[in-house]
Amino acid sequence: MLLAVDIGNTHTNIGVFGKGLNGPEDREELLINWNIASDLKRTEDEYGILILNLLKSVFNDIKIEAAVISTVVPPLGEIFKGALKKYLKIESILVSHKLKLPFEIDLDEPKELGADRIANAAAAVKLYRLPAIVIDFGTATTFDIVDKNKKFAGGIIAPGLKIQANSLSSFTSKLPKVKIEAPKTAIGKNTINAMMSGIVRGHACMIDGMIKLCEEELNAVNSACVIATGGFSSVLFSSLERDIDYINKDLTLIGLKYLYELNK
């Protein structure tokens, strides 16, 4: 079995891939995944024991053979790698631009491409038609664009919904902390609704506009495959004008599995 770990700024998603009860015997699928806090204060031992206990809570007898890790917090990547070696006795592949990839990186500085974005692009190449625009709604909202020739053409990085909400409450004296929800109207009748409109509907307008601009630059107006992933994706859908072709909450983990298969 394979352990896939996607370490984000706020949360870490851990998935186990193995042969399922249904389907072809040679096909491995995502059996289970957990979402835990990304915390630099936790030690290698704490993470090792936590992961070991999570596995034991589900599987009576499990043999993890290897791990693949993507991280936007490099020190945590090393902590996880050490924890897995110590407690599960396995080696880990850390995702970077140096791996064998199913696409070419067409960027000024390939080393700047984040590991999670590499995994998203890999999954897009494997699962969907090209050109593809992957939108990941996490702490930041990122666009990863793969063109029809399997080139990672570039991307977009914008503040995510949570960052926007926290910024409004932190840098203004009268605006409160809010729970992010889809607003029913564009015109807010109270402070909370006005904030939700600005955050959610404003973000949706940005997404619609950016998809259009990306498609124009790809010479693929209304024909790029748009894939959404990430925790806040469902909040935005009712406010978007552009249809999302696919929603895949496990896209990054699936991309990690594909990268492991290419590089093992």
Side-chain angles (χ1 to χ4, degrees):
M1 290 184 172
L2 174 70
L3 197 71
V5 182
D6 174 36
I7 304 169
N9 289 295
T10 307
H11 295 100
T12 294
N13 199 6
I14 302 170
V16 177
F17 286 90
K19 291 183 175 65
L21 298 176
N22 301 313
E25 291 184 0
D26 62 341
R27 188 182 69 189
E28 293 195 340
E29 58 190 44
L30 183 61
L31 301 177
I32 192 168
N33 66 302
W34 300 278
N35 202 25
I36 64 174
S38 298
D39 187 355
L40 274 168
K41 294 179 181 178
R42 278 181 171 163
T43 65
E44 191 175 281
D45 290 320
E46 287 174 309
Y47 273 116
I49 292 168
L50 173 59
I51 294 169
L52 193 60
N53 286 334
L54 287 172
L55 292 170
K56 287 181 177 179
S57 71
V58 177
F59 303 100
N60 293 324
D61 183 21
I62 184 171
K63 176 60 177 175
I64 301 294
E65 297 168 346
V68 56
I69 300 171
S70 71
T71 180
V72 297
V73 188
L76 268 182
E78 293 299 329
I79 289 172
F80 268 84
K81 186 176 181 179
L84 295 176
K85 185 171 184 178
K86 184 174 182 179
Y87 284 88
L88 296 183
K89 313 301 181 187
I90 58 174
E91 297 295 334
S92 304
I93 292 175
L94 283 173
V95 172
S96 77
H97 70 287
K98 295 180 181 180
L99 293 182
K100 180 180 180 181
L101 304 176
F103 54 84
E104 178 184 346
I105 301 177
D106 186 19
L107 298 178
D108 296 335
E109 295 290 343
K111 66 182 180 181
E112 294 179 353
L113 183 57
D116 56 335
R117 301 178 65 199
I118 291 173
N120 286 342
V125 169
K126 182 174 179 63
L127 298 177
Y128 304 109
R129 60 182 172 81
L130 300 178
I133 300 172
V134 178
I135 309 174
D136 192 339
F137 298 99
T139 303
T141 295
T142 60
F143 289 61
D144 302 315
I145 292 93
V146 183
D147 69 18
K148 63 182 180 180
N149 298 315
K150 292 187 179 181
K151 288 186 178 181
F152 188 99
I156 298 160
I157 303 173
L161 295 176
K162 192 172 183 179
I163 289 177
Q164 292 184 52
N166 289 343
S167 295
L168 284 175
S169 62
S170 297
F171 293 101
T172 58
S173 59
K174 291 187 177 182
L175 295 181
K177 291 185 177 180
V178 293
K179 179 181 178 181
I180 297 172
E181 298 176 333
K184 295 181 179 179
T185 60
I187 301 173
K189 295 292 187 181
N190 54 61
T191 299
I192 299 296
N193 287 346
M195 290 175 67
M196 283 300 94
S197 181
I199 294 167
V200 177
R201 285 184 177 266
H203 207 62
C205 290
M206 180 275 289
I207 291 163
D208 282 324
M210 285 299 188
I211 291 174
K212 181 180 178 181
L213 291 174
C214 289
E215 287 185 318
E216 288 174 356
E217 292 182 18
L218 291 168
N219 294 316
V221 177
N222 295 324
S223 65
C225 182
V226 181
I227 307 111
T229 190
F232 289 112
S233 54
S234 60
V235 176
L236 285 155
F237 292 149
S238 62
S239 300
L240 291 171
E241 290 187 5
R242 176 66 153 81
D243 290 334
I244 301 295
D245 296 296
Y246 299 97
I247 303 164
N248 190 335
K249 63 183 180 64
D250 300 318
L251 188 76
T252 310
L253 293 180
I254 292 170
L256 287 176
K257 177 179 178 291
Y258 183 32
L259 289 170
Y260 169 77
E261 291 170 347
L262 288 175
N263 289 274
K264 63 182 179 180

